[in-house]
Amino acid sequence: MADLVAVLGTPHNPLLYRTMRDPIPDDLRATADNFERFAAHLEHLKVETLVVVGSDHLRKFGHELSPPFVVGKAPRYATTYENEVRHFGLEYWEVAGDVELAGSILGDPVLPDSVDLTLSNEWVLDHAFAVPLRFLRPAWDLPVVPVHTNTNIPPVPHARRFVELGRHLSRSIDQAGPGRVAVIATGHLSTDIGGPKGFLGGASPDAEFDAMAVSWMETGDIDAAVEGCSLTRLLEAGNVTPQFLNFLTAMAAAGRPADFAEATPSRFAAGPFAFWDMTT
Amino acid sequence: MSRFDVDKFIRHVDDHGDRVRAFAADPAGYVATWLARGAASSPRPCPDGGTLTEAERVALETEDWETLYVMGAHPYVLFHLVVAVDLVRGPTPWPEFVEWYRGFVTPHGRPDFAT
């Protein structure tokens, strides 16, 4: 039996990789501190495997094939696409995969009855996965199980399906072989890329949504989060705000209020940080 | 119109720097090659070619980003192609670039980008 020892939520803004460097700019100090603190928590909790729930940005999964939920079951992953080097200055990294845990999550040989998952045996991870891993585990020495959720290409799964995914992750980790596992959800609060509210210089595209989102995590109120995360409401807050749905997966995996939840201000849209210590 | 075909074209170009440079150097030529490859492979799926309506073809050839936004091109991929082309031609200072971009999308709100 594996132990789910931590659930985290972090941003994955790729522009942080180029901008959040020593000397850390004042407006990015709080973001850097949160990543450092979360990385220290993972170390302290002796985490052995990371399940990363993120949304590929039309790199691996595009309009040709857009599955709702995909679990990576590869022994090794490469990260970063060429255009992410050009646009964001990212580097190419590699990380091991945890095939056994991936199999448990997938439910080999029969998929779980609560959520329909798709298998991927080969997958280059984009910045949704690479950026949080780079900041949380710069040594790239923990095996991962990437879980893609389609939040970028309509139609996206209903919010309640993200909750089911989180509950399933928690259950399947409990039933897997021994190990100490953390679930990391990555996504956005209100964020608009190439839309009317994009790049407002640190102002939130939708401060009301951000406050509600943090409140849902602080209280663990999944029903309120589901009600507040209709696709219409999410898109109103910004065209990539549906990536907040990954935080519903984190909330459901944890199953209780977050120990820490914050909309961390920066020159970019506010970054979501949340932490659940599952050992207490 | 087909949003899928436009998004497919945009993603194809921005996937690699050499394609961005080729498109920026000769948008009409790049689009013509894309259409020719698409026609030659029809009806089989073609990863590096496709079909476009007349309005889509003209909008891509003339880099009429505003029209493409209104048509419902995926806002995330459209934005990054426009950035990529700007970078190739000599980047506009970022604050000016985002101001310019926001200026032409804002009047149109949030067009449906489902395919």
Side-chain angles (χ1 to χ4, degrees), chain A residues 253-270:
Chain A
R256 62 175 175 76
D259 297 304
F260 172 82
E262 181 179 270
T264 307
S266 75
R267 72 188 64 179
F268 309 113

Side-chain angles (χ1 to χ4, degrees), chain B residues 7-43:
Chain B
D7 288 338
K8 180 181 169 185
F9 178 91
I10 291 172
R11 286 179 57 217
H12 174 82
V13 176
D14 188 37
D15 265 353
H16 293 286
D18 54 353
R19 295 179 191 162
V20 176
R21 284 184 287 276
F23 174 78
D26 179 13
Y30 197 100
V31 170
T33 303
W34 174 266
L35 292 171
R37 283 195 298 248
S41 69
S42 182

Side-chain angles (χ1 to χ4, degrees), chain A residues 59 86 152 192 198-199, chain B residues 11 14-15 74 80 102 110:
Chain A
R59 300 265 64 97
R86 271 184 289 118
N152 292 320
D192 206 27
F199 297 102
Chain B
R11 286 179 57 217
D14 188 37
D15 265 353
H74 195 291
H80 283 95
R102 208 167 36 233
R110 301 192 178 283

